[in-house]
Amino acid sequence: MTALHLQQLLDKWKIQLKQVNRQMYPDTNKIEKHTAALSQANALLQKEIKNRKQAEEQIQFQASILSRVNDAVIAIDSHNRITYWNKAAERLYEYKAEEVLGRSLEEVNHYRWLEAEDEQTAYTALATRGIWQGENIHRKKNGEEIYVESSVSILTDDNGVSNGFLAVVRDITERKQAEQQCQLLLTQEQVAHAEAKVAKNQIFNILERIADGFLALDCEWRFTYVNQQAAQILHRTQEQLIGKNVWEEFPDAIALSFYREYHRAVAQQVTVEFEEFYPSLNTWFEVHAYPTPEGLSVYFQDITKRKQTEQKISQQADLLNIATDAILVCNLKNQILFWNKGAEHLYGWQATEVLGKNANQLLYKEISPQLEEAVLAVIEHGSWQGELNQILKDSKNIIVQSRWTLVRDRTGHPQSILIVNTDITEKKQLEAQFFRAQRLESLGTLASGIAHDFNNILTPILIVTQLLSHKCLALNEEDRQLLKTVEDSSKRGATLVKQILSFAQGSEGDRVHLQVRHLLKEIEQILKSTFPKSIEININRLMENLWTIWANATQLHQVLLNLCVNARDAMPNGGTLSLSAENVIVNENDARMNLDAKVGSFVAISISDTGCGISPEIQERIFDPFFTTKEKSKGTGLGLSTVLGIVKNHGGFVKVYSQLGKGSQFKVYLPASDTQIKQEAADIKMPRGNGELILIVDDEEHIREATKTALENYNYKILTASDALEAFSIFTQRRDDIKLVLMDIQMPLMDGRNAACILQKINPSVKIIAISGILRNQKLLEASDIGVKVFLSKPYMIQELLHTIKRVLNAS
Ligand SMILES: Nc1ncnc2c1ncn2[C@@H]1O[C@H](COP(=O)(O)OP(=O)(O)OP(=O)(O)O)[C@@H](O)[C@H]1O
Ligand SMILES: [Mg+2]
């Protein structure tokens, strides 16, 4: 009951009392008496009110304190209903006071005991002492469990009768978790400690038994521990070493890696590893040294035997590396185990790149039947030999002569395959050329035989027709014409036979010292008067100092005319026919590249057209007698075979370069005659390079590689690219090193003109020599404004190339 209530009650009483007085005590005396008694009572009441007010303030003060404490304070009445729930309780359980007040404790607060017996302990404590303190687990509104420390006391009324509980609860979850963590660490540490103790004993036991040496040195470089094996390797006893200074005991080690590396390990606190030979013990050591708080632990092995084996292997490998053949060893899963220098050289792969790789994937485009046969044969018979098509690192195709031998282990089980490969690509190409030459020769023999018989047949026909026309004077005009046809046809037949014979036998004829210049002039006359005007004839006038040749003028006429007529036929819609001549020295490298060429000095006459060109498939066959692509009435197919016959007879050779749709060039090489000139030629020095780096761009692998080899022989450094894109990538990387670019003008992906343009953008001062099969064609002329210094026509001879390169490099 509050003070206000009391006051109201009191006032009510006063009014009621007055009414009672009026009714009960009408006389005034009595009233006064009662009034005195009442004021006494009133004073008592006022005192009571003051006391109560004080008590109430006290309660409010206490309540405000309780609401501020950090521990949750909860009061429960005798019916187990929550009667008090302070702010800390709200925070702890996340229930607001208004949510829980009046509800039973079980509804709100779920709890668990830490240990099963804790519950009994708590009840006993409350029953006997009226208070329990302990830890248990409570659940929050959101279901989360927390560790709490509670203090629960029984509340009693003035008579000491229990009327509820007061609980003060504190969240100790964090502390509990920390304790648990701590406990865990403690246990782990104990375990680790125990284990370390065991391990230490074990380590020493092991160290004594291992086959490797182990020793420990202190900070003064004294031996503090040496295992039995170490002592044995060092040729001492353990007792002899313990306590001794390592450098005093092994003074030779000071000059060796031991001293340097041990000091490095200690100074830099790093592990060091090294191999070293210790001469006075005649032993190779493999050493691992680790810094320790006490000094240094050294673990070492005697690797003398291994070193000796390695040396032996390396000596053998050196021998294998001297071999120019590619030598490789593969296991039965095709993994490469050995790869000599020859293989590096041939395939372009370094040993480090290929060891462990699959040889089939590396060296073959596809698994060919020969390869399968090789594998089967080597497993079955122990060896195999044959030819294989392989690919190089740069994807180039090669043919190798391959010899396989099965290597077995000691027990006779197949272990690996030893393969020796010889590159026979060039040999194969020469072989093909040789077969062609042979085919031509046999065809020639055959043709000359037929021609001979044919001549015998034609001769009587010719004689008879001539005789008849004289004898039968009475013949009418029509019959006379018929006879004339027979005679003309026979004459044509006879000319043809003569041609066959000159191709097949190459009739000697009269030879004279001949100036090619004169020859070309005469031909020019004929061409200009007989060829259609749509064909522009272009004779290169810059032919001073041409060497003379020893030749039959008529036959050479025939050669040039045949070639010019072919050129004309290739340009039915007109074009340019160019003739030129130059002195050329053919060296061994040139001769090696093609079977027909011979070493010496030559005058080369070139006949180029801008006609239809010759497809690669038929280029092989154009020199075959009777090979023609022309209509029956237009060509016999003997033109080129005659040309070849005559030129060979003169000790020369013919080269062709042609591109379909663009044109063809025939180059006739005739040996220079004059001995003086030959001397002069021999004196002409092949200009050598000074190691300048040259980039060769050509899509034809054969030409690219041959040019590379030739230029390398003359002291140039060479990079090659097979198309414009590759050329750009190389050129961008080596822009400043590349002194010159040799560029084929006709390439499939991007033509050389555009390529030259781009190169010039990358480096405006780039020097480019453009190479083309078609002499000075329109395109080349167009190219003149894009940094192309000089044009060179294919097929070029090395001398010509070297001179041109020198000229371009020297030009500033
Ligand atoms: N300049 C050229 N351009 C294109 N194709 C050529 C050229 N020269 C030769 N050929 C090809 O080579 C073939 C053989 O030439 P060859 O001179 O031996 O015989 P032909 O010209 O066909 O006949 P013939 O010369 O006996 O009248 C030709 O049919 C032609 O297909
Ligand atoms: Mg012809």
Side-chain angles (χ1 to χ4, degrees), residues 52 61 73 75 167 171 186 205-206 239 246 253 323 375 379 389 442 463 514 521 584 589 648 662 679 719:
R52 288 222 172 196
F61 175 71
V73 180
D171 181 0
L186 206 69
N205 280 336
I206 293 168
E239 295 72 34
V246 61
V375 176
I379 301 280
N389 291 311
S442 53
I463 294 169
L514 219 147
K521 266 203 185 125
V584 171
N589 195 53
K648 273 191 165 174
K662 301 234 163 116
Q679 188 55 44
L719 294 171

Side-chain angles (χ1 to χ4, degrees), residues 499 562-563 565-570 609 611-614 618 622-624 627-630 634-641 658 664 666:
Q499 217 178 344
N562 265 331
L563 294 173
V565 169
N566 281 350
R568 180 201 65 190
D569 293 347
D609 62 62
C612 60
I614 308 167
I618 69 164
I622 55 172
F623 289 100
D624 288 2
F627 175 82
T628 178
T629 56
K630 296 170 190 170
K634 287 201 176 145
T636 60
L638 279 173
L640 285 181
S641 46
S658 180
S664 315
F666 285 78

Side-chain angles (χ1 to χ4, degrees), residues 44 160 212 270 412 527 561 742 791-792:
L44 277 171
D212 302 319
V270 290
L527 299 184
L561 277 178
L742 272 185
F791 308 112
L792 205 60

